[in-house]
Amino acid sequence: LHEPTIIVWSQEMVRHTLPKRKQESHKGSFGTALLLAGGPVMPGAALLAGLAALRSGVGKLEIGTSRETIRSIAHRTAEATYIPDALQNIANGSMPFSHYRAIACGPGTLPDAVTEAAVDTLLTAETPLLLDAGALSKRRYPERTAPLILTPHTGEFERISGFTQEEILQFPASCAHSFALEHHAAVVLKGPSTIIALPDGRVFQNSTGNSALAKGGTGDTLTGMILGMLTCHVRYEHAILNAVFLHGACADEFIKTRSAHTMLAHEISELLPFVWKSYE
Ligand code: APR
Ligand code: MG
C-alpha cells in the first residue's frame, strides 16, 4: 500500500473556502437537494439527516422516505417537502431525479434489493451523489463526471473494500487513498480522526471532533450536512471538507460547557449556526 501525503484541513482553509450567501440570492440559487433516508426501524435517520441538510445551505430539501416516516418526522422538518416511496420509484424507473443539485442516499435505509436497484439507477445521473449506511455495498462504481461520495465508518469500509479491520485501523489513509483511486470516488472514512480521500489522489485529515460524537445518529447528521453544503459550495471537495470540519467543531463547542456523554446528534444541527458563523 502506498503511503499518501496527508493534508490537515485547517481553520484557515475553512475560512477561505466557506461560501458567501449573496444578497441577491433566492431559493433557486442553491437548488434542490434530495435526501433518500429513513425506514420502518430507523425513521430518526431521516429526521437527523434532514435537519442537518436544512441547516447547511440548501435552497429546498425534498425527503424521499416511507409514508410512515413522513408522518413521524414532518412536524420537526417543517421546511422540507416529501416524496413518498421515492426509493422504490427510483428503483423502478418512474421517478426523475436528474434535476436535483445533489442527492444523498442511505441513512436508516435497509441494504436490500430495492436500495441496490435505486443506487444502480442513481449512479447513472450526472448529479453529485452521496452514499452512506444502507446504500453502501460492495460493488463496482462506474466512472462518471459528477462526484461520487462514500461515507463509511470502519465497519462499513471493511464491508465495501475488502480491506481487513486491522489494515483499516493501522493504515486508514492508505486504504482510503487506494479505494478512492480505484473507484473514482471521494471516500470519507469516519472515525475519531476522519480521513477524506479524493479520486484525484489528494488525502485530507480532519482536525475537529471528540468522543461526544461516538453515538448513534451523528453519522446521519454528517450525511445531511454534506448534502446541504454540496448545494452552496462551488467545489464539491470543499463541501465535504467543511462539513466534516464543522460537524466536529459543533461537538467541540458542545463539550466546552456540557458533558461529552450527553450530546444528542440533533444538537449538532442546533449548534451549527453559531459555529459556522464563527468561521465566516
Ligand atoms: N471522536 C471524534 N469523532 C467521532 C468519534 C470520536 N471518538 N466517534 C465517532 N465520531 C464521528 C465519526 O467520525 C462520524 O462522523 O461520529 C460520526 C459517526 O458516524 P457513524 O459511524 O456513521 O454513526 P451513525 O451512523 O450515526 O450510527 C451508527 O451506523 O453501522 C451503522 O448500524 C450502525 O446504526 C448504526 C450506525
Ligand atoms: Mg452511519
Side-chain angles (χ1 to χ4, degrees):
L1 273 173
H2 172 69
E3 194 69 59
T5 305
I6 298 173
I7 304 163
V8 176
W9 191 247
S10 67
Q11 295 193 5
E12 290 64 42
M13 293 168 183
V14 173
R15 284 204 180 88
H16 199 72
T17 56
L18 276 171
K20 306 262 179 301
R21 207 165 181 92
K22 293 197 190 77
Q23 192 58 37
E24 64 278 15
S25 53
H26 55 92
K27 64 180 184 283
S29 315
F30 305 101
T32 303
L34 175 65
L35 172 66
L36 300 161
V41 291
M42 289 185 271
L47 173 62
L48 293 170
L51 285 173
L54 287 165
R55 292 266 194 211
S56 299
V58 292
K60 286 195 278 183
L61 178 68
E62 293 183 13
I63 304 179
T65 190
S66 65
R67 288 173 196 277
E68 215 182 342
T69 302
I70 296 173
R71 270 195 299 278
S72 73
I73 73 170
H75 66 291
R76 290 186 62 190
T77 46
E79 297 82 356
T81 56
Y82 294 88
I83 308 175
D85 307 319
L87 216 50
Q88 285 82 346
N89 292 332
I90 288 170
N92 69 31
S94 66
M95 178 183 151
F97 51 83
S98 57
H99 57 289
Y100 291 106
R101 183 74 59 89
I103 302 175
C105 180
T109 66
L110 296 171
D112 60 11
V114 172
T115 304
E116 276 302 281
V119 170
D120 280 339
T121 309
L122 289 169
L123 283 165
T124 63
E126 291 305 332
T127 306
L129 176 64
L130 184 161
L131 302 178
D132 180 34
L136 290 170
S137 61
K138 190 157 186 166
R139 58 161 68 235
R140 302 258 5 130
Y141 292 96
E143 207 162 339
R144 52 208 293 280
T145 53
L148 172 64
I149 304 158
L150 310 176
T151 59
H153 56 56
T154 309
E156 289 162 341
F157 192 52
E158 182 183 4
R159 178 156 57 77
I160 67 172
S161 70
F163 289 118
T164 64
Q165 178 106 11
E166 293 70 44
E167 287 170 322
I168 297 167
L169 290 175
Q170 208 181 344
F171 308 109
S174 303
C175 293
H177 175 67
S178 123
F179 189 94
L181 289 180
E182 185 183 341
H183 294 271
H184 321 286
V187 177
V188 179
L189 178 53
K190 297 182 292 192
S193 186
T194 294
I195 297 287
I196 298 98
L198 300 179
D200 65 11
R202 284 180 294 162
V203 178
F204 297 88
Q205 185 169 27
N206 186 45
S207 58
T208 58
N210 61 75
S211 64
L213 290 167
K215 195 166 289 167
T218 57
D220 308 326
T221 297
L222 177 65
T223 289
M225 287 180 65
I226 298 174
L227 176 64
M229 302 242 181
L230 282 168
T231 67
C232 63
H233 281 72
V234 175
R235 300 186 65 98
Y236 86 98
E237 65 268 37
H238 293 163
I240 302 173
L241 291 159
N242 287 341
V244 173
F245 181 99
L246 291 174
H247 178 258
C250 287
D252 293 343
E253 181 64 26
F254 186 93
I255 65 163
K256 281 186 188 165
T257 52
R258 286 155 283 182
S259 166
H261 291 292
T262 68
M263 191 181 76
L264 300 179
H266 79 266
E267 291 175 311
I268 297 167
S269 299
E270 287 163 18
L271 287 167
L272 182 60
F274 306 100
V275 173
W276 186 332
K277 178 73 178 172
S278 71
Y279 290 95
E280 278 183 345

